[in-house]
Amino acid sequence: MVEGSQLQEAQAISVVHKMLQQSFNLFDTAFSAAWDTTLLKQLHTGLLEQLADLDDCWQQVTGEEDSALGRTDPTQPVTSYFQGIHVYLNEKEYSDCAWEIVRMDIRRAFSLFINQLAR
């Protein structure tokens, strides 16, 4: 079983993993025509690399036993957040301005989460 700080670490890893996965899915399915496609490909590659690194980290933290995480789903707020982004983009007809707001907001969300982990 995962206990104490290991449980918190495992939950943090699962939240970061969900944020990266949702970000990858968002930028993979639709993107602003104003964005440089080379930079977008670099973003995809970077997100995939981070996801692979987190998978390795997840295995080290939880080992084979991750049933303790099944009690609560720490990633639910992340799922709701990205659903809201999809709704917002759809309402704004995926305009360049809307994409720029989404990009900045996702950066802010990652920054806030990382700052919370540092405490």
Side-chain angles (χ1 to χ4, degrees):
M1 293 292 284
V2 179
E3 295 182 19
S5 65
Q6 278 188 315
L7 178 58
Q8 291 173 348
E9 186 177 353
Q11 288 174 331
I13 290 169
S14 68
V15 169
V16 171
H17 188 277
K18 185 67 146 189
M19 289 174 73
L20 291 170
Q21 184 66 53
Q22 291 285 336
S23 295
F24 177 83
N25 292 344
L26 178 69
F27 294 114
D28 190 46
T29 57
F31 59 89
S32 170
W35 290 0
D36 182 316
T37 56
T38 301
L39 293 177
L40 189 59
K41 286 179 186 177
Q42 288 175 350
L43 173 64
H44 285 150
T45 300
L47 288 170
L48 286 175
E49 289 171 359
Q50 291 296 315
L51 285 165
D53 290 346
L54 274 178
D55 286 340
D56 294 341
C57 194
W58 175 259
Q59 292 302 320
Q60 291 175 0
V61 170
T62 62
E64 295 298 317
E65 188 67 55
D66 64 341
S67 61
L69 290 177
R71 294 182 200 146
T72 61
D73 182 7
T75 66
Q76 183 54 45
V78 175
T79 300
S80 296
Y81 170 75
F82 278 93
Q83 287 172 342
I85 286 176
H86 283 284
V87 168
Y88 171 77
L89 285 169
N90 191 41
E91 288 173 354
K92 299 298 181 180
E93 299 178 355
Y94 296 87
S95 71
D96 290 345
C97 182
W99 272 109
E100 188 60 21
I101 290 169
V102 165
R103 183 192 64 79
M104 290 187 305
D105 196 66
I106 290 173
R107 284 185 65 168
R108 182 192 58 79
F110 270 103
S111 179
L112 289 172
F113 184 72
I114 298 304
N115 287 337
Q116 287 294 322
L117 290 177
R119 291 181 185 180

